Amino acid sequence: EADIYQTPRYLVIGTGKKITLECSQTMGHDKMYWYQQDPGMELHLIHYSYGVNSTEKGDLSSESTVSRIRTEHFPLTLESARPSHTSQYLCASSEGLAENTGELFFGEGSRLTVL
Amino acid sequence: DQQVKQNSPSLSVQEGRISILNCDYTNSMFDYFLWYKKYPAEGPTFLISISSIKDKNEDGRFTVFLNKSAKHLSLHIVPSQPGDSAVYFCAASLSSYKLIFGSGTRLLVRP
């Protein structure tokens, strides 16, 4: 069973507010990811990290930012939320071996609604 | 440009029958293909994978077939059970560090 946790699970917030979505994993994985998914659509990679102090932007442009100060923690921040940020955000992690199949372990997701 | 496509948004099958979920891809550099299953209000969970050097991988009721010449893979579930009802995502791995997902197929297994 994967040990990766996201909080909050659900968040409804007004436009202009700053929000942070938390993601923690206890598996010691080097690689962590944030995906964004709208209903009926594919998961889009918005950020990833190969380890502490390493962060990269994904394929989908996002106004969010991430940090990786500790191996187990990969928070995502929106400085000023807008209705266009309404979506589900999924955090994932994987082992850091080059030989791995790319299998990701996902958290349960954070569903964000910006009014 | 969508590199991984699942053209069927939904599929309904009778319990006990075979479910076949399809996926097409465009990038011949993908080295692994994976299927994930997602229940409502939960994150996706890994189901089965296949290396690009193989054409079949089987795990219990689940079998994935890869046709590289057609850039097509499929997931077979036999026999289908009501608990299999979920959204299934096809994903492709590029250099083992990034997954590119399809848009998912919602499977409904009718009792």
Side-chain angles (χ1 to χ4, degrees):
Chain A
E1 186 173 319
D3 295 315
I4 180 164
Y5 308 100
Q6 290 185 241
T7 57
R9 293 287 311 278
Y10 302 92
L11 179 62
V12 181
I13 201 164
T15 297
K17 299 291 186 182
K18 177 180 178 179
I19 63 133
T20 296
L21 304 180
E22 302 287 350
C23 177
S24 295
Q25 50 96 4
T26 59
M27 297 172 281
H29 287 168
D30 287 326
K31 297 175 184 171
M32 295 190 74
Y33 310 80
W34 277 102
Y35 283 85
Q36 182 176 342
Q37 190 207 6
D38 294 320
M41 302 296 288
E42 57 268 40
L43 283 71
H44 288 288
L45 181 67
I46 52 174
H47 298 284
Y48 61 98
S49 167
Y50 291 156
V52 171
N53 294 325
S54 154
T55 61
E56 300 287 343
K57 289 194 176 293
D59 302 322
L60 181 69
S61 175
S62 174
E63 294 167 341
S64 59
T65 59
V66 292
S67 62
R68 189 90 183 275
I69 299 171
R70 302 198 314 267
T71 298
E72 62 270 22
H73 197 212
F74 191 41
L76 180 146
T77 298
L78 275 165
E79 290 293 333
S80 179
R82 294 206 301 270
S84 61
H85 296 139
T86 295
S87 189
Q88 183 177 45
Y89 294 83
L90 291 159
C91 180
S93 71
S94 68
E95 293 178 334
L97 298 174
E99 296 83 7
N100 85 37
T101 63
E103 179 187 343
L104 303 183
F105 297 91
F106 282 89
E108 293 185 308
S110 293
R111 183 165 295 282
L112 172 66
T113 301
V114 184
L115 303 176
Chain B
D1 181 28
Q2 210 173 338
Q3 297 188 64
V4 178
K5 295 183 183 180
Q6 294 178 258
N7 293 316
S8 298
S10 63
L11 175 67
S12 180
V13 299
Q14 194 75 36
E15 180 178 6
R17 299 290 188 101
I18 184 171
S19 295
I20 300 176
L21 297 100
N22 294 303
C23 179
D24 297 298
Y25 62 94
T26 58
N27 191 339
S28 58
M29 299 300 292
F30 289 137
D31 50 7
Y32 270 96
F33 301 89
L34 304 89
W35 285 93
Y36 279 80
K37 178 179 179 179
K38 185 179 185 298
Y39 292 116
E42 293 184 12
T45 54
F46 170 75
L47 191 58
I48 192 170
S49 66
I50 187 167
S51 165
S52 61
I53 62 173
K54 296 187 176 181
D55 54 18
K56 178 182 174 181
N57 188 28
E58 190 172 352
D59 183 4
R61 296 186 297 115
F62 303 91
T63 302
V64 57
F65 295 93
L66 176 62
N67 182 336
K68 281 186 293 183
S69 60
K71 293 192 176 70
H72 177 84
L73 68 155
S74 60
L75 173 68
H76 293 211
I77 306 174
V78 181
S80 301
Q81 299 173 354
D84 295 330
S85 298
V87 177
Y88 289 79
F89 289 95
C90 169
S93 171
L94 204 59
S95 304
S96 299
Y97 72 89
K98 193 162 69 167
L99 286 189
I100 298 172
F101 285 84
S103 55
T105 296
R106 184 177 301 277
L107 174 65
L108 173 65
V109 180
R110 307 186 307 275

